[in-house]
Amino acid sequence: MCGRYYRRSDKQRIAEAFKVGRLPPGFELPTDYNIAPSTFQPVIRSNAETGERELALMRWGLVPAKIADPDSFKIFSTTNARTESILDKSIWKSPFQQARCLVPVDGFYEWLQRPSLPQPPPIEPEEHGLFGDIQSKPKQPAKPKAGSRPLYKFEMPDGAPYALAGLFSEWRPRKGSTHPPLDTFSIVTTEANELTDPIHDRMLVILHPRDYDRWLNDYDEARPPLDLLRPYESEGMRMTPANRLVGNVRNNGPDMLNGA
């Protein structure tokens, strides 16, 4: 699961990179170096009337349209949709068949989940004569504290913005409800590639620009774009250490991109 990403591109760069049509009047898009679930973020979808690509703000964490009360759905984690179950679970199947979007990012973060990278060995009491010949008792591995695990960021080699495969839902209040309309999205994940695998066994689905139109507009039920939900080529990505302070959503700014 990926629960953090970042966006340093401004609205103009995003509009140019993803060939977005006219921006909404007064649309503001400040940079964000620590994007977390439940926050409102820009996604790109096709306008239902004109077919133009448009930017829309949606909350990260998909809420199905058929839910009576969005607040009652907060106990479920819907930030990521697994490729393997996208047609098996109704919560993903409907938006996959009817409401797909691009999620513009400059990179995403992932904490080390797999101990396959070289790690410094712990110093035991019997080593280096620290405690003479006293043998240490077997220790249970300590559960890593929040912010203690190494953190890495994944971006394009040239630092350009790119698009993640997203699904969205438009919830509208029932009669008598005082809850305002709510648009939400989820990001699709797939198995890891060779670059991300030492860190985590999953990765976000990165789409090639050549596939944007198909992802947004091709709703041929006989040929759903499942083939696009594959790991991105490792050689087309760059992985570098990031700041562990990303673990606290209150921390933000360009220094989040620097290993610490």
Side-chain angles (χ1 to χ4, degrees), residues 121-132 134 136:
I123 297 177
E124 299 295 344
E126 66 271 17
E127 294 184 59
H128 312 302
L130 294 179
F131 294 94
I134 299 176
S136 62

Side-chain angles (χ1 to χ4, degrees), residues 82-102:
R82 294 175 65 94
T83 293
E84 296 84 349
S85 58
I86 206 163
L87 288 178
D88 297 331
K89 297 184 177 180
S90 59
I91 185 175
W92 309 130
K93 183 177 180 179
S94 179
F96 175 68
Q97 293 177 328
Q98 303 172 18
R100 299 191 293 263
C101 62
L102 306 176

Side-chain angles (χ1 to χ4, degrees), residues 33 252-258:
Y33 293 88
N252 213 311
D255 56 327
M256 295 298 102
L257 305 183
N258 302 321

Side-chain angles (χ1 to χ4, degrees), residues 26-42:
F27 188 87
E28 296 298 330
L29 191 60
T31 57
D32 196 337
Y33 293 88
N34 194 359
I35 295 172
S38 298
T39 60
F40 283 85
Q41 302 300 329

Side-chain angles (χ1 to χ4, degrees), residues 102-119:
L102 306 176
V103 182
V105 308
D106 284 278
F108 66 89
Y109 301 107
E110 194 59 77
W111 279 269
L112 178 65
Q113 300 283 348
R114 304 171 67 138
S116 52
L117 288 184
Q119 299 291 312

